[in-house]
């Protein structure tokens, strides 16, 4: 596996490639010839037009088959923008590009320099040299937004107030919202759960098509296996299905149930069970989904309900700030001075969380062998002493800090008298659902 730097390139094996950028980003691609111009609007692959010859976009993953690109294509430029329109990339977690082969083997990673006020980043390009294809890391911010980028590549962008032309998709305007298509509710799920939430003083939830897709895939996997489980026989967890469907979440909850025959019976079961009822009533959730599948061998119906709120820059900042605040409260109780937030430590902590979620590992040591002090230095930290706490699976800042304080080794870091600074990271996804990192420095 190659760790690329800006300008670095890597020969690619033949066959398909998966190019993934986890996090609160929209991924898109521009298919061009040697001139750097698209052959037509069909060469712009984005959330409203997710396929082109040799390219397919699903959620945060772009699958490329260079040999099947349209005639004359010699380059595919991979671009990211903020999923929340108009958000500067500097306010988001650091993006990391992961490139894998069809067997899931990681070929390359690229963590570009931190963007500033740009809302679009030219991340990498797959290009042809003679008969072979290569990957080049770019990491260049683009000031004119996604619509400006599309125009510069030759895409005909429709203005906000101009009617779209029949027979072709409109490329996104500069501030086009990224949203999933509305999800139908054939089971009447919202009519069952929103009155129950209202009675508990919680706002209503709406269905999200990406969550519906993930819930349906997981219910089918449980029915095929004939058992309840957070992970299917294919080794894919429910949280990984949510991430693969393109829903980047800040908070997530689930109900996995077998036996009820109708949505009404399912919701009644949830309302009778303490933990399930607390999840159904949780004020933090804004979206939901319900799906079921029946095991044809036994006739048992398996249900998956998902509850989530989307990852946003404000929500991420609020969550990590809460971890810092709770940490400093514990230090105050011990008579210690508070820790100051350190941007390089924050960058390193966030990148480690995103990496653990994306590559499904949980360790202070990355698969390449990098340690906390290596990641802190790479992010620009000059702290001479580094400590790290990690955790996975906790649903809130309060839960993760409480867990750390109940563990002697983690508690020693939180109450380390020599530490003066802190950085906190959080990411959703992976096998465990949530990943947390504290980096301490002195």
């Amino acid at each position: 596996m190659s760790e690329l730097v800006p300008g670095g390139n890597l020969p690619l094996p033949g066959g398909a490639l998966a190019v993934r950028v986890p996090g609160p980003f929209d991924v898109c691609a521009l298919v061009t010839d040697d001139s750097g111009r698209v052959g037509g609007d069909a060469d712009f692959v984005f959330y409203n037009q997710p396929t082109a010859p040799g390219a397919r976009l699903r959620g945060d993953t772009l699958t490329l088959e260079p040999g099947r690109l349209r005639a004359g294509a010699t380059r595919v430029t991979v671009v990211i923008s903020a999923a929340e329109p108009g958000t500067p990339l500097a306010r988001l977690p650091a993006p990391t590009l992961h490139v894998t082969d069809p067997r899931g083997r990681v070929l390359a990673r690229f963590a570009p320099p931190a963007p500033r006020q740009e809302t679009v980043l030219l991340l990498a390009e797959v290009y042809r040299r003679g008969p072979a294809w290569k990957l080049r890391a770019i990491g260049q911010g683009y000031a004119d937004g996604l619509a400006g980028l599309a125009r510069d590549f030759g895409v005909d962008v429709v203005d906000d107030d101009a009617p779209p032309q029949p027979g072709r998709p409109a490329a996104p305007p500069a501030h086009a919202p990224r949203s999933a298509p509305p999800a139908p509710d054939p089971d009447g799920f919202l009519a069952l759960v929103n009155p129950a939430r209202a009675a508990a003083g919680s706002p209503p939830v709406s269905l999200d098509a990406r969550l519906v897709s993930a819930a349906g895939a997981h219910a089918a996997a449980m029915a095929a296996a004939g058992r309840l489980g957070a992970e299917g026989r294919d080794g894919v967890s429910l949280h990984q299905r949510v991430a693969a469907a393109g829903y980047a979440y800040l908070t997530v909850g689930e109900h996995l149930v077998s036996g009820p025959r109708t949505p009404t019976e399912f919701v009644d079961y949830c309302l009778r069970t303490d933990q399930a009822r607390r999840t159904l009533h949780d004020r933090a959730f804004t979206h939901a989904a319900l799906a079921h599948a029946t095991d044809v061998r036994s006739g048992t119906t398996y249900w998956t309900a998902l509850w989530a709120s989307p990852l946003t820059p404000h929500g991420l900042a609020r969550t990590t700030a809460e971890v810092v605040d709770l940490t400093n409260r514990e230090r105050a109780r011990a008579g210690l001075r508070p820790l100051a937030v350190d941007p390089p430590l924050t960058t390193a902590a966030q990148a480690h969380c995103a990496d653990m979620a994306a590559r499904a590992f949980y360790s202070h040591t990355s698969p390449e062998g990098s340690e906390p002090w290596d990641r802190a230095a790479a992010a620009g930290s000059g702290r001479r002493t580094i400590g790290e706490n990690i955790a996975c699976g906790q649903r809130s800042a309060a839960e993760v800090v409480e867990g750390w304080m109940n563990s002697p080794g983690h508690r020693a870091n939180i109450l380390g008298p020599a530490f003066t600074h802190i950085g906190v990271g959080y990411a959703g996804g992976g096998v465990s659902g949530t990943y947390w990192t504290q980096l301490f420095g002195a």
Side-chain angles (χ1 to χ4, degrees):
M1 202 271 302
S2 295
E3 290 276 357
L4 296 179
V5 298
N9 60 71
L10 175 74
L12 294 171
L17 302 166
V19 179
R20 181 172 181 240
V21 187
F25 307 107
D26 277 334
V27 180
C28 61
L30 293 131
V31 181
T32 62
D33 55 22
D34 285 335
S35 72
R37 304 280 289 180
V38 300
D41 295 340
D43 282 346
F44 188 21
V45 179
F46 67 110
Y47 52 84
N48 276 349
Q49 183 172 264
T51 60
R56 182 177 72 257
L57 178 64
R58 182 178 180 186
D60 60 8
T61 302
L62 175 71
T63 301
L64 293 175
E65 295 182 76
R68 298 184 60 189
L69 294 172
R70 53 102 174 153
T74 59
R75 191 181 310 267
V76 179
T77 303
V78 180
V79 179
I80 63 167
S81 58
E84 186 172 322
T87 301
L89 292 172
R91 292 172 50 194
L92 300 179
T96 302
L97 176 80
H98 304 265
V99 181
T100 57
D101 66 12
R103 294 176 296 171
R105 183 170 62 97
V106 180
L107 301 174
R109 279 179 80 247
F110 174 49
R116 298 188 179 180
Q117 293 306 307
E118 298 92 346
T119 59
V120 172
L121 184 69
L122 280 69
L123 197 53
E125 61 183 10
V126 174
Y127 65 101
R128 191 172 67 198
R129 278 291 179 266
W133 289 83
K134 302 180 78 173
L135 170 73
R136 178 186 290 122
I138 302 176
Q140 176 185 339
Y142 199 87
D144 290 340
L146 193 56
L149 174 76
R151 288 190 186 96
D152 287 350
F153 273 75
V155 178
D156 188 8
V157 178
V158 177
D159 293 334
D160 289 359
D161 54 357
Q165 297 178 19
R168 49 165 284 215
H175 58 277
R178 196 270 193 234
S179 61
D185 187 16
D187 294 321
F189 186 49
L190 296 183
L192 295 169
V193 300
N194 278 336
R197 286 176 61 85
S202 299
V205 291
S206 59
L207 292 183
D208 183 277
R210 296 162 294 185
L211 294 180
V212 171
S213 173
H218 198 73
M222 292 193 297
R227 60 177 176 82
L228 292 173
E231 186 175 299
R233 287 190 301 188
D234 55 3
V236 179
S237 75
L238 176 58
H239 301 106
Q240 288 172 310
R241 297 187 202 282
V242 173
Y247 190 102
Y249 57 82
L250 182 66
T251 54
V252 68
E254 71 282 337
H255 293 137
L256 306 178
V257 179
S258 63
R261 294 162 297 177
T262 66
T264 300
E265 289 184 9
F266 171 80
V267 173
D268 285 345
Y269 163 81
C270 293
L271 292 173
R272 292 196 310 268
T273 309
D274 287 344
Q275 181 58 52
R277 183 171 60 252
R278 285 195 294 271
T279 300
L280 190 151
H281 287 162
D282 195 325
R283 294 181 57 84
F285 298 131
T286 58
H287 294 121
L290 179 69
H292 57 88
T294 301
D295 180 353
V296 296
R297 297 158 297 188
S298 65
T300 302
T301 300
Y302 290 85
W303 298 80
T304 298
L306 281 167
W307 311 85
S309 61
L311 180 66
T312 64
H314 175 73
L316 177 62
R318 184 182 66 246
T319 297
T320 55
E322 188 176 354
V323 172
V324 173
D325 180 63
L326 291 169
T327 298
N328 281 332
R329 290 186 194 181
E330 297 293 346
R331 290 178 64 86
R333 292 189 185 100
L336 298 168
R337 61 182 177 178
L339 302 173
V341 174
D342 181 81
L345 293 180
T346 300
T347 297
Q350 184 61 45
H352 191 52
C353 288
D355 194 24
M356 289 191 291
R359 293 201 281 172
F361 75 95
Y362 177 64
S363 174
H364 294 286
T365 305
S366 78
E368 295 75 44
S370 69
E371 302 287 354
W373 42 89
D374 300 320
R375 294 189 291 271
S381 173
R383 306 291 166 193
R384 299 180 62 183
T385 302
I386 296 292
E388 184 178 75
N389 287 344
I390 60 175
C392 64
Q394 293 82 2
R395 301 298 176 87
S396 68
E399 185 179 342
V400 73
V401 173
E402 180 182 8
W404 280 328
M405 288 299 294
N406 289 333
S407 167
H410 298 100
R411 179 186 178 93
N413 274 338
I414 288 176
L415 301 182
F419 290 131
T420 56
H421 290 78
I422 188 174
V424 174
Y426 164 83
V431 175
S432 298
T434 60
Y435 294 83
W436 306 80
T437 298
Q438 286 179 313
L439 264 183
F440 304 91

